[in-house]
């Protein structure tokens, strides 16, 4: 696999890189000589180690943490300003921060219900603010930045994190599914910017990835059957994200089996599913993620039954105004 556009000497902004998949991606960028501005609410201990390791101005690449709440647009502007001040030209932007279908902003616990933090007359869902509005806004800011501040002719990248939920329905997480379908539609719609302006918008669509998003949420973990469902690692997803940026073609297989299988061209709008294998997700007539190792969640029933009992209670969704 030939690396046509090394990230060495470039600069990236990665939101949500205080943990999980985005941290794995940021770590790989740094190891390959790319500066990274990490924008998150906080750093988990493992992320703190990475930032400390790459704090020196004399090293090959540097990491800077900028405390950022991605639902606050002023803080998103600030994130770009800080990256530019610290590093100069920005080349890669990844709006990866997100939360799962938390009980505080959840389709089955509508605004006004006891666990929800969304209010009946509030006009917004926190989940959409974090998982859909933030990637859309960051994409606009990145395009604007790229158009105004371009000093080199090298390609610019905006890389999103969709999900197999960008294709799979899930009764347990309707808003999550809506946001990931939304991300995939956004990415495909911006595909032509690659040819026109050298701005390549792509996405990964991870399967079931072992990150704190699962491991620290027993209410979600009960959907996973150990031994039957397979985990994919955050590092494996990070590798594919790096390949989407550095390469013009990507292999079908990752991890231990790397280097075989057909090559897929990478271009604006490309979405790569990452489970135990990698494949291009096509807009039409796609076979979908079903049946591939690393894509299965066997015990959905456990959560579905919880939802049916919520709906069978008295006055579901009838909020006190
Ligand atoms: N884990 C999976 O199985 C899986 C599968 C498919 C897609 N994804 C996607 O991958 C992405 C990363 O997920 P992860 O599994 O690494 O989760 P994670 O919980 O490990 O990391 C998410 C990060 O986002 C940050 N964040 C949340 N709200 C924020 C806010 N308001 N402002 C700033 N930062 C905020 C968190 O602090 C956290 O560091 C998400 O978009 C997720 O939907 C995950
Ligand atoms: C992020 O900002 C939103 C609104 O701007 C606020 O409601 C929310 O509490 C903030 N989140 C955190 C973790 O500070
Ligand atoms: C929100 O984004 C996070 C991180 O990208 C992802 O893991 C999660 O599934 C998303 N949740 C929703 C409800 O979109």
């Amino acid at each position: 696999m030939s690396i046509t556009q090394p990230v060495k000497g470039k600069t990236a902004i990665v939101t949500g890189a205080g943990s999980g998949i985005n941290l794995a991606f940021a770590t790989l960028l740094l190891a390959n000589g790319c500066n990274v501005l990490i924008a998150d609410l906080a750093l988990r201990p493992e992320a703190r180690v990475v930032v400390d390791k790459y704090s020196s101005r004399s090293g090959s690449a540097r990491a800077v943490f900028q405390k950022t709440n991605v639902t606050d647009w002023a803080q998103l502007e600030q994130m770009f300003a800080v990256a530019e001040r610290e590093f100069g030209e920005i080349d890669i932007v990844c709006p990866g921060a997100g939360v799962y279908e938390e009980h505080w902003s959840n389709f089955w616990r509508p605004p006004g219900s006891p666990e929800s933090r969304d209010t009946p007359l509030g006009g917004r869902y926190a989940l959409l603010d974090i998982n859909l509005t933030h990637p859309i806004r960051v994409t606009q800011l990145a395009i604007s930045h790229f158009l105004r501040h371009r000093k080199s002719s090298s390609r610019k990248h905006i890389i999103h994190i969709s999900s197999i939920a960008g294709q799979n329905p899930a009764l347990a997480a309707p808003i999550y599914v809506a946001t990931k379908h939304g991300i995939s539609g956004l990415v495909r719609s911006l595909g032509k910017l690659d040819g026109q302006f050298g701005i390549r918008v792509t996405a990964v669509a991870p399967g079931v990835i072992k990150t704190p998003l699962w491991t620290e949420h027993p209410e979600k973990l009960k959907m996973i059957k150990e031994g039957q469902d397979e985990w994919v690692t955050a590092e494996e997803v990070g590798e594919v994200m790096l390949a989407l940026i550095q390469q013009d073609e990507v292999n079908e297989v990752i991890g231990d089996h790397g280097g075989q299988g057909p090559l897929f061209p990478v271009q604006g709008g490309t979405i790569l599913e990452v489970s135990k294998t990698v494949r291009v997700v096509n807009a039409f007539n796609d076979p979908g993620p079903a049946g591939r190792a690393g894509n299965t969640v066997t015990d959905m029933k456990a959560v579905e039954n919880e939802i049916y009992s919520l709906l069978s209670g008295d006055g579901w969704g009838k909020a006190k105004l």
Side-chain angles (χ1 to χ4, degrees):
M1 238 177 307
S2 57
I3 291 172
T4 51
Q5 303 242 4
V7 295
K8 193 170 166 46
K10 297 193 186 301
T11 288
I13 295 176
V14 185
T15 75
S19 174
I21 295 170
N22 297 296
L23 172 60
F25 176 50
T27 306
L28 267 174
L29 288 171
L30 288 159
N32 282 276
C34 180
N35 297 314
V36 180
L37 182 117
I38 293 180
D40 203 317
L41 293 167
L43 295 174
R44 293 175 62 87
E46 58 271 26
R48 167 54 61 196
V49 169
V50 172
V51 171
D52 288 346
K53 178 174 172 194
Y54 291 98
S55 61
S56 162
R57 282 185 181 268
S58 55
S60 66
R62 195 157 56 92
V64 167
F65 171 58
Q66 172 71 15
K67 188 169 160 41
T68 305
N69 179 342
V70 298
T71 64
D72 180 340
W73 290 13
Q75 292 185 40
L76 294 181
E77 297 267 2
Q78 184 64 14
M79 166 182 98
F80 275 87
V82 170
E84 208 186 333
R85 188 185 73 214
E86 294 280 343
F87 302 121
E89 190 175 352
I90 298 156
D91 306 286
I92 298 155
V93 175
C94 170
V99 290
Y100 196 67
E101 196 106 353
E102 309 291 349
H103 285 183
W104 44 261
S105 186
N106 176 305
F107 188 85
W108 302 112
R109 292 161 181 85
S113 51
E115 289 170 288
S116 179
R117 273 192 240 146
D118 298 325
T119 56
L121 302 179
R124 62 202 305 151
Y125 295 105
L127 197 53
L128 292 184
D129 287 349
I130 299 171
N131 276 39
L132 188 57
T133 306
H134 135 258
I136 291 173
R137 184 66 188 133
V138 167
T139 299
Q140 289 177 322
L141 292 171
I143 293 169
S144 167
H145 181 91
F146 293 157
L147 295 175
R148 280 180 294 128
H149 297 285
R150 181 166 227 152
K151 295 186 195 91
S152 61
S153 61
S154 67
R155 187 180 286 123
K156 302 293 184 182
H157 293 270
I158 303 171
I159 179 160
H160 289 268
I161 306 188
S162 183
S163 167
I164 52 172
Q167 291 185 285
N168 271 347
L171 183 76
I175 301 182
Y176 186 75
V177 168
T179 65
K180 294 307 184 184
H181 276 68
I183 294 291
S184 294
L186 174 77
V187 167
R188 291 191 198 289
S189 300
L190 300 178
K192 286 180 182 167
L193 294 182
D194 195 355
Q196 284 291 320
F197 295 101
I199 298 173
R200 183 172 285 177
V201 186
T202 55
V204 283
V208 182
I209 318 298
K210 196 159 205 170
T211 69
L213 181 144
W214 285 98
T215 53
E216 292 185 2
H217 290 267
E219 83 283 5
K220 277 180 253 162
L221 266 185
K222 65 188 171 198
M223 293 186 264
I224 302 280
K225 255 205 172 111
E226 289 292 345
Q228 204 160 325
D229 297 321
E230 275 192 79
W231 291 107
V232 179
T233 67
E235 289 69 29
E236 286 174 313
V237 181
E239 295 276 1
V240 176
M241 294 171 78
L242 186 66
L244 272 174
I245 289 167
Q246 290 194 329
Q247 296 168 200
D248 283 324
E249 335 182 86
V250 174
N251 259 99
E252 185 186 16
V253 184
I254 54 170
D256 301 340
H257 328 280
Q260 303 140 25
L263 288 168
F264 302 116
V266 177
Q267 55 203 9
T270 294
I271 299 175
L272 291 181
E273 182 181 295
V274 187
S275 48
K276 294 314 275 184
T277 50
V278 179
R279 68 176 190 98
V280 170
V281 182
N282 291 303
F284 300 108
N285 299 320
D286 189 86
R292 300 173 75 91
N295 281 348
T296 57
V297 177
T298 299
D299 262 350
M300 275 297 196
K301 271 256 165 336
V303 178
E304 289 177 2
N305 287 334
E306 207 174 290
I307 291 164
Y308 298 144
S309 79
L310 279 174
L311 292 172
S312 309
D314 237 8
W316 179 87
K318 195 164 173 300
K320 287 193 202 76
L321 298 182

